[in-house]
């Protein structure tokens, strides 16, 4: 029985988002446009230096689950928080989006993960993430009945940083494939790809993962090349379906010898790119689980990404379902 369209698995993180200029990044040794892992002391230091901030439940896969639900899809989520205020905020927010979320919290220490996100004047986001409780996610948190009842289980490449999460993902893959379901992953970040290139390629080539999401830089990093055409051909041969975003130029979807170039959805102002890739995956997977064409899946992904780029924060503040209807996609 299919209870869910998409189950996502990821690091349960509360985002703390603030605007800054490029000099702030330089002064604080922050790598621009990347996800920088930090310890508790650096988290406290950066927080003390932040300007006015917005707190919002985030985490890559959590954003994707919220996006699927916003489109009207049936979404579920696995991710670990602590029994603290930020953990309560995270759980409330994701359930309020209509997402099934029953992962048990992990005591009071380590605390719930948080990411200090600095948004520069060009809309680019630089993330500084203290993983905290989310690294405690393990195979015991896999709800077998949920995996078996989800059309697609999607996880974030960031999960390859905490070791026990790998066990949880492999268990999800075993259950999903045993029940005729599919597995999907996002490469998450070019630095993440650099850390786990061989493992990611093995996940794809072994058939553990069926559908892969990446942006242009991540695809180039995966194959250690500067030739985007070469990267597209290689990724098409390594997985069932790949969806590669290319910023203002939209996305390229490949399935074997098939290729679809989907133009970006127009935006009025590039406010904050936080969550753009997560929401692209949400739109694509929503379309995919509704048996839409790959081209339509790409259009739904680009629409969701455009909407979140025009606001602060990674969770859409307007109805994706209504926006899709207005543009004739639903």
């Amino acid at each position: 029985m299919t209870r869910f369209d998409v189950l996502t698995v990821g690091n349960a993180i509360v985002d703390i988002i603030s605007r800054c200029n490029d000099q702030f990044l330089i002064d604080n040794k922050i790598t621009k446009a990347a996800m920088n892992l930090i310890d508790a002391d650096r988290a406290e230091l950066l927080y003390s230096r932040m300007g006015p901030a917005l707190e919002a439940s985030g985490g890559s896969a959590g954003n994707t689950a919220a996006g699927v639900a916003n489109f009207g899809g049936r979404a579920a989520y696995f991710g670990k928080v602590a029994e603290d205020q930020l953990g309560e905020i995270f759980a409330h927010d994701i359930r309020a989006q209509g997402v099934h979320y029953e992962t048990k919290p992990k005591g009071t220490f380590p605390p719930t993960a948080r990411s200090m996100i600095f948004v520069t004047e060009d809309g680019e986001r630089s993330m500084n993430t203290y993983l905290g409780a989310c690294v405690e996610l393990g195979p015991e948190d896999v709800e077998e009945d949920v995996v078996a009842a989800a059309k697609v289980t999607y996880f974030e490449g960031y999960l390859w940083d905490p070791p026990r999460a790998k066990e949880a993902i492999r268990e999800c893959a075993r259950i999903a494939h045993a029940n005729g379901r599919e597995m999907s992953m996002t490469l998450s970040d070019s630095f993440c790809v650099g850390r786990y290139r061989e493992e990611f390629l093995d996940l794809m080539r072994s058939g553990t993962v069926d559908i892969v999401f990446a942006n242009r830089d991540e695809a180039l990093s995966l194959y250690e090349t500067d030739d985007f055409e070469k990267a597209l051909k290689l990724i098409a041969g390594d997985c069932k379906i790949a969806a590669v975003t290319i910023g203002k130029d939209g996305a390229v979807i490949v399935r074997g010898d098939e290729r679809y170039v989907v133009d970006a959805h127009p935006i009025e102002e590039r406010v904050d790119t936080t969550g753009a890739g997560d929401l692209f995956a949400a739109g694509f997977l929503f379309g995919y689980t509704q048996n839409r064409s790959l081209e339509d899946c790409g259009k739904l992904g680009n629409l969701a990404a455009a909407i979140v780029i025009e606001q602060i924060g990674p969770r859409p503040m307007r109805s994706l379902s209504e926006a899709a209807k207005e543009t004739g996609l639903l």
Side-chain angles (χ1 to χ4, degrees), residues 248-266:
K248 62 181 176 56
D249 295 318
V252 183
I253 319 298
V254 292
R255 177 170 57 190
D257 293 332
E258 298 174 56
R259 181 180 297 192
Y260 305 92
V261 179
V262 185
D263 291 338
H265 190 83

Side-chain angles (χ1 to χ4, degrees), residues 9-11 35 37 131 134-135 137 154-173 183-189 191-204 206 208-209:
V9 188
N11 289 325
M35 195 282 282
L37 288 176
L131 292 173
C134 73
V135 301
L137 183 77
Y154 165 96
F155 67 94
E156 57 190 71
Y158 290 136
L159 279 180
W160 243 241
D161 284 313
R164 293 181 67 251
K166 297 182 185 182
E167 299 175 43
I169 293 304
R170 295 191 187 280
E171 178 65 3
C172 284
M183 288 292 294
S184 177
M185 75 174 292
T186 172
L187 298 185
S188 291
D189 182 282
F191 292 93
C192 185
V193 173
R195 292 194 294 275
Y196 303 111
R197 180 176 295 105
E198 294 306 316
E199 290 180 74
F200 286 176
L201 286 169
D202 181 66
L203 287 171
M204 295 158 60
S206 66
T208 303
V209 167

Side-chain angles (χ1 to χ4, degrees), residues 165-323:
K166 297 182 185 182
E167 299 175 43
I169 293 304
R170 295 191 187 280
E171 178 65 3
C172 284
R174 183 192 67 77
I175 296 165
H177 288 140
N179 286 274
R181 309 301 192 180
E182 290 181 294
M183 288 292 294
S184 177
M185 75 174 292
T186 172
L187 298 185
S188 291
D189 182 282
S190 56
F191 292 93
C192 185
V193 173
R195 292 194 294 275
Y196 303 111
R197 180 176 295 105
E198 294 306 316
E199 290 180 74
F200 286 176
L201 286 169
D202 181 66
L203 287 171
M204 295 158 60
R205 292 167 178 169
S206 66
T208 303
V209 167
D210 305 290
I211 305 167
V212 175
F213 291 88
N215 64 28
R216 185 180 186 276
D217 289 343
E218 292 156 7
L220 293 173
S221 176
L222 184 65
Y223 295 104
E224 297 182 281
T225 181
D226 294 325
D227 185 339
F228 186 51
E229 181 62 29
K230 178 182 177 181
L232 285 175
K233 288 179 179 177
L234 289 171
I235 202 169
D238 281 341
C239 59
K240 179 180 172 182
I241 297 171
V244 183
T245 56
I246 45 179
K248 62 181 176 56
D249 295 318
V252 183
I253 319 298
V254 292
R255 177 170 57 190
D257 293 332
E258 298 174 56
R259 181 180 297 192
Y260 305 92
V261 179
V262 185
D263 291 338
H265 190 83
I267 62 171
E268 292 183 9
E269 182 185 6
R270 189 175 189 255
V271 176
D272 175 14
T273 58
T274 306
D278 307 333
L279 269 294
F280 175 86
F284 187 99
L285 289 172
F286 170 74
Y288 185 77
T289 55
Q290 306 306 309
N291 300 312
R292 301 294 293 271
S293 69
L294 291 183
E295 190 170 13
D296 278 356
C297 292
K299 289 178 179 178
L300 286 162
N302 283 340
L303 170 67
I307 286 173
V308 83
I309 284 170
E310 292 183 314
Q311 63 171 54
I312 290 284
R315 303 276 172 93
M317 297 177 188
R318 59 179 289 204
S319 168
L320 297 177
S321 176
E322 290 302 316

Side-chain angles (χ1 to χ4, degrees), residues 1-5 144-151 175 179 181:
M1 177 182 173
T2 302
R3 287 172 54 206
F4 302 105
D5 296 311
E144 184 168 356
D145 60 326
V146 175
V147 181
K151 294 178 183 176
I175 296 165
N179 286 274
R181 309 301 192 180

